[in-house]
Amino acid sequence: MNTRSGSHFIAALISVGANLALAQQAPPAPMPAPPDTKIETDNLAPGIYMLTGRGGNIGLTVGPDGAAIIDDQFADMVPKIRAAVALLAEKPVRFVINTHLHGDHTGGNDAFSAGGAVIIAQENVRKRLGSPQVNPSNNQTLPARAREALPVITFADSATLHFNDDDLEFTHLPKAHTETDIVVRFRKANVVHMGDLFVGGFPFIDGNTGGTLDGYILAHEKVLASIDDNTKLIRGHGPVGNKAELQAFHDMLVVVRDRVARLVKSGKTQEQVVAARPTKEFEQQYGGANFDAQQWLGRAYVDQKRALEMHRRK
Ligand SMILES: [Zn+2]
């Protein structure tokens, strides 16, 4: 398929839940990768892989239709991602699916799109990448991303990519890690890329881009209802997981959220909530991977205080 006929082909290939936006390609921008970061490749099912490097874990499908990836880490990782894909696929990446807007999952968009790939994401990814955003790691304002980094096919609630003899089902889970999150389910292979809705420790809830702890927990409930004990779950960060591990992660968050909510309702301050250690029995398993329990509780307090105020306003 050449890139000119691509948009027609894709329009036919994808059944899109809502709107369809198409844009032009841009010239390539080669970037050196840090010499110390390697891409590790794990085979999860026939033709389906997880690539781990620096940034969010990548899902990869290769087969008769070519290659598609879910998330693309950082710009400087693109040559290494391409090299890892080239070991398994004869042709370059045709589709990039973004699980959400964060730069450690979308940083390679510019280069992949310049190389001819079509970027697909929930419509809020395009909205947010196309305007200045707060960098969640240091609260500084990031400028809008270049035009070629923006998804060209977007949808509101769901879409399906029929590719390599499987159906890749994209489902939007609103107000969870951000307001842009999707999970990607390989219906036949029974593999799900969870994006940052499943990570190895206490999860980051990005309130600046519409994330909420309550929505994060609801997202798990939707996913748990659609998978089984054999489903392989690609975490946004961390090792491949399964349903029991997602259930345990979800149950932990429900317990902690309910405790924090109760403390917030009774008028406790942030310091008092942190001091009460509502994360106590979970700190060994979930602490430290992203946040220590104190940092995370500070954020959970702010989240639940906001949730309470929203509830009272209704
Ligand atoms: Zn993220």
Side-chain angles (χ1 to χ4, degrees):
M1 178 192 89
N2 67 41
T3 44
R4 192 165 307 153
S5 68
S7 54
H8 304 288
F9 182 71
I10 293 147
L13 194 71
I14 301 184
S15 41
V16 181
N19 85 57
L20 191 80
L22 295 166
Q24 305 281 313
Q25 310 281 345
M31 291 266 196
D36 51 335
T37 313
K38 275 204 318 199
I39 296 275
E40 308 276 349
T41 301
D42 277 329
N43 188 202
L44 306 185
I48 299 175
Y49 301 84
M50 177 174 87
L51 308 184
T52 313
R54 190 169 60 86
N57 293 329
I58 295 171
L60 165 67
T61 162
V62 297
D65 298 328
I69 57 174
I70 303 158
D71 288 346
D72 55 21
Q73 299 192 346
F74 294 103
D76 59 8
M77 290 301 294
V78 169
K80 290 182 176 186
I81 298 166
R82 283 200 173 119
V85 172
L87 294 175
L88 300 160
E90 283 166 20
K91 290 182 191 162
V93 170
R94 276 177 67 187
F95 296 100
V96 172
I97 298 112
N98 293 148
T99 60
H100 64 292
L101 85 160
H102 284 150
D104 56 334
H105 299 256
T106 61
N109 278 11
D110 315 60
F112 278 108
S113 123
V118 172
I119 302 173
I120 306 172
Q122 203 276 337
E123 63 191 19
N124 293 330
V125 173
R126 183 176 165 91
K127 269 186 216 153
R128 286 195 172 268
L129 291 187
S131 58
Q133 295 297 314
V134 175
N135 180 349
S137 52
N138 59 15
N139 280 329
Q140 293 187 339
T141 302
L142 294 165
R145 295 281 297 273
R147 192 165 174 276
E148 56 268 28
L150 307 183
V152 294
I153 296 180
T154 63
F155 54 91
D157 300 322
S158 64
T160 305
L161 177 65
H162 306 282
F163 195 68
N164 288 340
D165 302 320
D166 207 333
D167 305 310
L168 282 68
E169 298 169 344
F170 313 143
T171 305
H172 180 218
L173 295 160
K175 293 184 173 35
H177 171 63
T178 66
E179 64 162 16
T180 71
D181 304 298
I182 59 165
V183 294
V184 179
R185 176 173 178 233
F186 292 85
R187 199 173 61 77
K188 291 182 190 156
N190 202 9
V191 173
V192 179
H193 194 313
M194 295 288 296
D196 281 355
L197 296 175
F198 191 20
V199 292
F202 292 123
F204 175 46
I205 309 293
D206 187 356
N208 286 328
T209 60
T212 67
L213 183 51
D214 293 340
Y216 199 93
I217 287 168
L218 278 176
H220 290 165
E221 287 166 13
K222 286 189 196 158
V223 174
L224 284 164
S226 72
I227 62 175
D228 61 41
D229 293 341
N230 298 317
T231 308
K232 290 189 176 160
L233 299 175
I234 300 177
R235 286 178 168 93
H237 303 265
V240 174
N242 59 33
K243 185 179 184 182
E245 288 165 336
L246 179 62
Q247 184 74 57
F249 181 59
H250 164 265
D251 294 350
M252 174 277 289
L253 289 172
V254 170
V255 168
V256 175
R257 187 267 319 264
D258 290 352
R259 287 175 184 166
V260 172
R262 224 173 296 129
L263 291 163
V264 169
K265 261 182 215 146
S266 70
K268 297 280 188 277
T269 64
Q270 182 167 335
E271 291 68 31
Q272 287 170 324
V273 170
V274 173
R277 278 183 73 195
T279 43
K280 202 170 173 182
E281 70 269 40
F282 305 113
E283 291 171 8
Q284 202 183 347
Q285 185 176 355
Y286 296 103
N290 309 305
F291 300 102
D292 65 36
Q294 289 201 339
Q295 287 173 316
W296 190 79
L297 279 168
R299 291 174 165 275
Y301 169 85
V302 172
D303 172 274
Q304 286 302 300
K305 188 133 174 85
R306 189 183 290 169
L308 183 65
E309 282 159 10
M310 297 271 287
H311 182 74
R312 283 188 177 149
R313 232 176 282 146
K314 271 182 205 160

